[in-house]
Amino acid sequence: MTAVEWTFQVLGTAVVVSPAILIAVLGLTSLVGRPLSESSVARLTQAAVLFSLTPAVAILVMMLALGTRYVPIEWGDWVTIPEQEFHFHLKFVFDRLSIPFVILSCVLCGVVGSFTRRYLHREEGYSRFFLYYAVFFTGMVTSSLAGTIETLFVGWEMVGLSSALLVAYFDQHENPVRSGQRVWSIYRLSDAAFLIAAISIHHMTGEGDFGGLMSSGIWPEGTAAVTPQQALFVGTLLLIAAAGKSALFPFSGWLPRAMEGPTPSSAIFYGALSVHLGVYLLLRVSPLLEVSLVLQCLVIGLGVVSALSGALMSRVQHDVKVSLAYASLTQVGIIVVEIGFGLKYLALIHIIGHACMRTMQLLRAPTLLRDYQTMENALGSRLPASQSRFGTWVPVGVQRWCYRYGFDRGFMDIALDRWIVAPFMVLFQQFDVWERWTTDKISREPSRESDAIELHPEDSERAA
Amino acid sequence: MGELHFPWMEASILVPLVGAIWIRFFANPDHSFRQAVAISGLTLALTVGELIDFIMLGTFAAHDHWAVIDWLFHQEVFVVDELSAFLLPLGALIHFVTVLSTLRTKAPRFSLTSTLVSEAILLATFSCRASWTLVALMCLATLPVYLELKRRGRCTRIFVLHMSVFVVLLVVGYAALQWTGEVSQSVLIPGALLTAAALLRSGIAPLHLWMTDLFEKATFGTAILFVTPLTGAYAVMRFVLPIAPDWALQSIAVLSLVTAVYAGGMSLVQREARRMFCYLFLSQASLVLVGLELVTPIGLTGALCVWLSVGLSLTGFGITLRSIEARISRISLADYHGLSRHMPTLAGFFLLTGLAAIGFPFTVGFVGMELLIEGAVEVYPLVGMTVVIAAALCGIAVLMAYFRIFTGRSHATLIPMHARRSERIAVLMLTVLILGGGLVPQPGVASRYHAAKELTEKRALNPITHATKNYDNAHHDSDDSDTDESDDDDDVVGRDHDD
């Protein structure tokens, strides 16, 4: 190994290891019941971000100086069964796609971490927030740099879990928790699609390495070594996974619910990073999209529908964070369209610009309302509402329908609840009824003692 | 066959047995709980010693040194092999943490004697290979549970009905196997009987009603101890795997898959925590059976890994629920309880074990689940993907239970509910194993693969089973042989074909 390669290896390892150390420290201290002080947590977080960001920037500088476009960091096989050619390879890749995304992740995580230090000062869940934040940060860095689809899945899962738990951050209230559950449910289903796609890729190419999938060239110039049918199958699964993670149509319903979490998490997850992870995945496998025209059309169609829906919905929300979230969806939809048309660099630049702007908007949102009120108090009247000239040209009937569509959030939640959740629940509740009937018959008496449980036994203070 | 340096197996079976007699007849009731912890701790230490000794021997099977039973009966009764070497400490650990996490206030309702007897039976079961002793032990294991149900005055009809059928099928099936012989073409009949017995004991739908009934009527600790060691899966390994043809096993794998999805769905509609746990367990245990019955080395390795993961994580999940139940009685999932502020350690552990059970990254279940899915997809590409759906449903159920129990409302209580020291120790032990196994999975996977390979080789010796094709392929490939037979096999096995 040459000195340059060795330097790359050390720096690349530092980028990935630093967030993992943060999780280990915050997690272990919580587990053994010795939580750190607020200032220690904040300092550790800042140090972790810095020790991740600085090596990432150093790698970028070195790559620019040396004219290198592709730096793989090999950690070897995490698990291997050589005889069966099964291996879980830990490989991280620094290339034109991952470098901007990982630097973006570090910068925005750093900004939001710094903001949160003051925003959640003396909050009861301060340490909990930063533990979830550490899981998220590690997940983002892992996903950004993943050189194999399995490694990307590991990071993807970590981002999903931390997102759901942070939505439910205000855990003494029911609504945030319900929202967290909703986010998790959508994520799990999209994760299932991702996992199936990962296994399919493994079977098609014999390995999960992105280099194996894009058999020639490095991003963005690779060509996928699969047939159009295979590309359509795997690509559709990945599209479902991306749609779930990026809240694209028809999974957008969780996006406003996700705003139940504290503002910093809303900013970093749903304004900036997490919501772009799905489109990042599409960018990463973009050579796969180029193999199948049908798949490209699907991607463009999904992007268009999502962008239009987001635009309609963001206009009629009464909550600033929700409105911004739907505005994000519009932009994400447009990014998906760009990816569908093969405009990869444009999509990447769009992601970076949009993520930065939206983070700042969301962090500013709580104070913005107060500023509006101050201005209105000074004026003595409401500020004039802006009116769209285009809106006046649209027939009243269409306007009303659009309003209702936006107000009901595209009917997506209603449709998912009515057509997927409700039939599922009814079916399994019916199975439950049959089981009860059978056990009652065999027992010749009511067989379920659990029917008599108290709803809130803890309130009776009979605890041991 | 190797010989261990100490009679670990006999000692580990005798210690809880003698301990049970001591506690029942001689121990001071005030100290019995502490003594039970010491006895099960000593048993765990013996099984760990046996595992270390076995690993150092580097053999596939070994028997005890100075084995009294062998000397008396001139017969190898207790034999440890690569499959059971890990199951023995797992079984002992499950008993140890369950006893350790029992609150003293609840000790009178939880029979320590019965628990220690069950532990002795379980360890003896895992120390036996297919024989009449194993049949007898599997039948005997149902008795302590039956006696507890009787003692508690609960209806035993469902349990008795199912377990009677299980015992009859097992005894008749094994007798028929002795009569026909393992290499006879008519082995299918005893094979079918033994399979039905194993599936019944494993709770494969629609033969799972005894399990939900057990969780309703027995103490939670007893129910956990009866189901989490996966004795049914052990029966599959010992009785069915060596004799059943590939097609039969793979058909049963599909049944297990259906159960996994069904139980995953059912866990989402339950309104009580025990029942939810039961279905969650059933779903994950069915996934173990799926892997076992795929009879590919990858699938088998995945199943053996998931077996250990299910044993560790769902025991942890179960004892957390049990600890909460011990404080507030049965837990409704119809509404939110908001207990995380009062029991943060248990809340964290509940989440950790739940995530480990569904194979979350960096927990002990992750790699096992990956291998299992890989193995399932190899055999039935489309049906195999159902494993992913089952895991997704269980994942939703786990977080739903977490949210319902620990969050959602502000709840004030004057009574401290935090984890006691013994509970913390139990939690910490399992956490170390769950995270340790997740972060450094290679040794575990390598050992499970070796066990899977040996089992597959033993299975290949029986002409009736039509030696597993995948394994043959791997050998042909490694030998660089390019026979017509291996080409045919490539068409059957998608992965090798693709490779």
Side-chain angles (χ1 to χ4, degrees):
Chain A
M1 191 182 278
T2 64
V4 173
E5 285 172 345
W6 188 82
T7 312
F8 274 133
Q9 189 76 26
V10 171
L11 291 173
T13 304
V15 176
V16 183
V17 165
S18 179
I21 292 173
L22 181 65
I23 293 188
V25 174
L26 297 184
L28 283 175
T29 49
S30 300
L31 194 71
V32 297
R34 305 258 176 219
L36 298 169
S37 67
E38 277 193 15
S39 57
S40 304
V41 171
R43 270 193 222 113
L44 271 171
T45 306
Q46 283 171 341
V49 172
L50 204 65
F51 280 113
S52 216
L53 175 62
T54 313
V57 173
I59 288 175
L60 174 63
V61 171
M62 283 178 69
M63 286 170 75
L64 290 172
L66 298 169
T68 314
R69 284 180 54 191
Y70 183 79
V71 177
I73 306 294
E74 301 273 359
W75 281 10
D77 289 325
W78 188 33
V79 182
T80 178
I81 304 176
E83 285 179 57
Q84 297 296 315
E85 295 180 16
F86 176 89
H87 53 89
F88 195 117
H89 195 53
L90 284 181
K91 180 182 175 186
F92 300 95
V93 167
F94 288 84
D95 61 8
R96 288 184 181 190
L97 177 61
S98 62
I99 279 260
F101 208 75
V102 79
I103 291 176
L104 176 76
S105 301
C106 291
V107 168
L108 294 184
C109 282
V111 168
V112 170
S114 199
F115 179 87
T116 313
R117 184 183 177 180
R118 288 156 188 86
Y119 190 82
L120 290 183
H121 179 51
R122 293 191 178 173
E123 276 272 340
E124 202 180 347
Y126 187 91
S127 300
R128 186 160 47 94
F129 179 93
F130 276 97
L131 176 60
Y132 298 159
Y133 166 97
V135 176
F136 172 79
F137 182 37
T138 312
M140 277 309 299
V141 170
T142 310
S143 307
S144 308
L145 297 175
T148 64
I149 195 132
E150 291 96 345
T151 317
L152 178 51
F153 182 71
V154 169
W156 184 274
E157 287 269 69
M158 293 173 87
V159 169
L161 177 70
S162 55
S163 298
L165 290 173
L166 269 170
V167 170
Y169 173 80
F170 296 111
D171 62 1
Q172 303 217 322
H173 304 280
E174 214 173 292
N175 267 346
V177 172
R178 282 185 192 279
S179 301
Q181 178 68 36
R182 185 86 175 194
V183 171
W184 177 249
S185 303
I186 298 285
Y187 276 0
R188 287 308 294 173
L189 294 178
S190 64
D191 289 352
F194 190 118
L195 194 51
I196 294 170
I199 292 161
S200 306
I201 288 174
H202 217 275
H203 277 260
M204 286 169 195
T205 63
E207 54 189 334
D209 198 320
F210 287 121
L213 185 65
M214 278 51 109
S215 60
S216 62
I218 49 175
W219 196 89
E221 282 136 18
T223 308
V226 290
T227 64
Q229 288 76 23
Q230 288 176 328
L232 180 60
F233 174 67
V234 173
T236 308
L237 287 169
L238 290 174
L239 195 57
I240 294 169
K245 195 62 110 191
S246 290
L248 300 173
F249 189 87
F251 301 118
S252 316
W254 66 258
L255 199 55
R257 295 170 191 268
M259 295 299 148
E260 298 270 9
T263 294
S265 70
S266 304
I268 197 164
F269 291 123
Y270 318 109
L273 294 175
S274 174
V275 83
H276 288 120
L277 198 54
V279 287
Y280 176 80
L281 172 68
L282 292 181
L283 266 182
R284 178 53 83 192
V285 298
S286 52
L288 191 76
L289 309 182
E290 287 161 10
V291 175
S292 167
L293 183 63
V294 181
L295 184 58
Q296 273 182 305
C297 293
L298 277 176
V299 172
I300 294 166
L302 184 68
V304 169
V305 173
S306 301
L308 287 176
S309 299
L312 285 177
M313 289 183 284
S314 69
R315 286 173 169 271
V316 293
Q317 299 305 316
H318 52 76
D319 181 296
V320 64
K321 277 165 72 180
V322 175
S323 183
L324 285 173
Y326 276 126
S328 280
L329 175 62
T330 308
Q331 295 303 315
V332 172
I334 294 168
I335 294 168
V336 172
V337 174
E338 289 161 5
I339 294 169
F341 279 116
L343 305 168
K344 296 168 197 170
Y345 284 118
L346 180 62
L348 184 57
I349 294 164
H350 196 159
I351 288 174
I352 295 167
H354 176 240
C356 291
M357 184 203 72
R358 203 63 76 187
T359 304
M360 297 308 149
Q361 274 189 336
L362 276 159
L363 292 181
R364 169 85 171 98
T367 50
L368 181 75
L369 295 177
R370 186 172 294 175
D371 289 353
Y372 258 74
Q373 286 165 353
T374 309
M375 286 165 71
E376 285 179 347
N377 284 342
L379 285 170
S381 65
R382 294 276 179 204
L383 286 165
S386 60
Q387 282 191 331
S388 162
R389 192 175 294 170
F390 174 74
T392 56
W393 299 341
V394 178
V396 177
V398 177
Q399 279 187 34
R400 282 187 183 154
W401 186 88
C402 287
Y403 181 83
R404 203 180 149 206
Y405 181 85
F407 189 77
D408 280 337
R409 295 164 179 178
F411 314 117
M412 281 177 257
D413 273 2
I414 298 169
L416 285 175
D417 283 346
R418 186 174 296 171
W419 302 113
I420 295 175
V421 179
F424 177 88
M425 295 301 276
V426 167
L427 178 68
F428 280 94
Q429 278 163 355
Q430 189 58 48
F431 287 140
D432 200 46
V433 169
W434 289 336
E435 283 197 10
R436 180 196 300 268
W437 183 84
T438 312
T439 48
D440 285 356
K441 279 281 176 196
I442 298 173
S443 301
R444 295 181 189 160
E445 63 181 23
S447 60
R448 289 203 185 173
E449 297 182 4
S450 55
D451 285 346
I453 50 166
E454 278 180 72
L455 198 56
H456 287 292
E458 67 275 9
D459 285 343
S460 59
E461 297 186 351
R462 284 190 280 101
Chain B
M1 187 184 295
E3 186 181 81
L4 300 169
H5 296 92
F6 183 78
W8 298 107
M9 280 179 285
E10 287 183 4
S12 63
I13 294 160
L14 274 176
V15 164
L17 213 53
V18 173
I21 295 166
W22 169 263
I23 285 177
R24 178 74 180 83
F25 297 107
F26 305 108
N28 181 340
D30 293 339
H31 301 142
S32 60
F33 178 71
R34 202 174 296 166
Q35 288 169 359
V37 171
I39 291 162
S40 54
L42 178 61
T43 311
L44 174 62
L46 286 167
T47 53
V48 172
E50 170 267 320
L51 174 64
I52 294 167
D53 195 356
F54 177 77
I55 290 171
M56 285 169 69
L57 282 178
T59 175
F60 177 71
H63 62 91
D64 269 344
H65 190 50
W66 310 315
V68 180
I69 293 178
D70 297 358
W71 177 69
L72 282 176
F73 300 102
H74 305 289
Q75 193 181 349
E76 297 283 1
V77 177
F78 296 128
V79 176
V80 62
D81 61 14
E82 284 196 289
L83 170 68
S84 55
F86 281 81
L87 297 180
L88 287 164
L90 177 70
L93 179 70
I94 289 170
H95 279 80
F96 177 64
V97 293
T98 307
V99 173
L100 190 62
S101 63
T102 305
L103 290 184
R104 276 190 200 179
T105 49
K106 304 295 172 189
R109 297 173 63 185
F110 179 67
S111 170
L112 294 172
T113 314
S114 170
T115 303
L116 290 174
V117 170
S118 298
E119 182 173 13
I121 294 172
L122 178 73
L123 295 180
T125 305
F126 283 164
S127 303
C128 269
R129 296 202 283 192
S131 63
W132 278 111
T133 317
L134 180 57
V135 171
L137 285 166
M138 294 197 82
C139 299
L140 197 63
T142 59
L143 275 182
V145 181
Y146 169 75
L147 292 174
E148 184 188 296
L149 289 174
K150 285 297 274 185
R151 194 173 59 245
R152 287 166 62 86
R154 302 295 198 273
C155 171
T156 57
R157 291 175 66 87
I158 294 174
F159 185 77
V160 168
L161 177 68
H162 283 83
M163 288 304 122
S164 305
V165 176
F166 161 69
V167 167
V168 169
L169 287 171
L170 191 63
V171 172
V172 174
Y174 196 68
L177 184 67
Q178 298 293 297
W179 187 59
T180 57
E182 289 190 2
V183 292
S184 159
Q185 285 296 335
S186 52
V187 78
L188 277 179
I189 295 165
L193 294 171
L194 289 168
T195 304
L199 293 185
L200 182 56
R201 181 67 177 80
S202 304
I204 291 298
L207 307 173
H208 64 288
L209 294 179
W210 68 268
M211 206 183 269
T212 52
D213 191 64
L214 181 68
F215 275 89
E216 289 276 354
K217 289 170 181 155
T219 56
F220 202 178
T222 302
I224 290 171
L225 292 177
F226 191 62
V227 299
T228 50
L230 294 181
T231 319
Y234 191 73
V236 170
M237 292 299 295
R238 292 304 187 206
F239 293 122
V240 181
L241 196 77
I243 57 167
D246 284 2
W247 60 265
L249 284 176
Q250 286 167 3
S251 309
I252 301 163
V254 175
L255 272 181
S256 306
L257 261 182
V258 171
T259 304
V261 176
Y262 174 78
M266 288 297 279
S267 68
L268 281 169
V269 299
Q270 298 306 312
R271 295 169 68 85
E272 194 259 337
R274 272 195 196 193
R275 288 186 71 85
M276 189 282 299
F277 172 78
C278 178
Y279 283 110
L280 185 67
F281 171 81
L282 204 52
S283 180
Q284 297 299 305
S286 302
L287 290 182
V288 175
L289 284 178
V290 171
L292 292 182
E293 289 152 1
L294 290 171
V295 286
T296 62
I298 287 269
L300 205 51
T301 309
L304 296 180
C305 290
V306 174
W307 191 335
L308 297 182
S309 134
V310 166
L312 285 174
S313 53
L314 284 177
T315 300
F317 196 80
I319 63 168
T320 315
L321 279 178
R322 179 167 170 259
S323 295
I324 301 164
E325 263 200 13
R327 288 162 170 81
I328 65 167
S329 83
R330 288 213 176 181
I331 311 156
S332 162
L333 295 180
D335 198 7
Y336 295 90
H337 295 269
L339 294 174
S340 65
R341 299 286 150 93
H342 306 293
M343 41 181 81
T345 307
L346 290 176
F349 186 63
F350 185 89
L351 192 58
L352 175 72
T353 50
L355 293 172
I358 58 164
F360 195 78
F362 301 121
T363 62
V364 70
F366 178 61
V367 172
M369 198 62 92
E370 288 272 314
L371 283 162
L372 187 62
I373 293 168
E374 183 92 12
V377 172
E378 266 181 24
V379 180
Y380 295 117
L382 285 176
V383 181
M385 289 170 189
T386 317
V387 176
V388 181
I389 305 294
L393 291 174
C394 289
I396 296 171
V398 163
L399 213 67
M400 186 195 77
Y402 171 78
F403 282 144
R404 291 281 162 95
I405 296 168
F406 294 103
T407 66
R409 66 195 282 258
S410 174
H411 165 66
T413 177
L414 297 172
I415 301 160
M417 289 190 185
H418 60 268
R420 305 288 201 272
R421 197 177 61 170
S422 57
E423 288 173 317
R424 278 177 187 272
I425 294 169
V427 160
L428 211 62
M429 279 179 73
L430 288 172
T431 303
V432 167
L433 290 169
I434 286 169
L435 291 179
L439 291 169
V440 190
Q442 180 60 33
V445 170
S447 126
R448 296 300 78 201
Y449 174 67
H450 199 246
K453 203 173 73 170
E454 292 285 348
L455 290 166
T456 319
E457 267 180 4
K458 293 228 177 299
R459 186 176 146 72
L461 296 175
N462 187 347
I464 300 301
T465 58
H466 296 289
T468 48
K469 291 164 185 152
N470 296 336
Y471 179 66
D472 284 350
N473 271 353
H475 270 261
H476 287 309
D477 291 345
S478 62
D479 295 336
D480 290 323
S481 61
D482 191 18
T483 61
D484 292 338
E485 188 186 9
S486 69
D487 287 344
D488 291 341
D489 291 345
D490 281 353
D491 291 335
V492 176
V493 184
R495 179 184 165 74
D496 288 344
H497 180 75
D498 291 332
D499 289 345

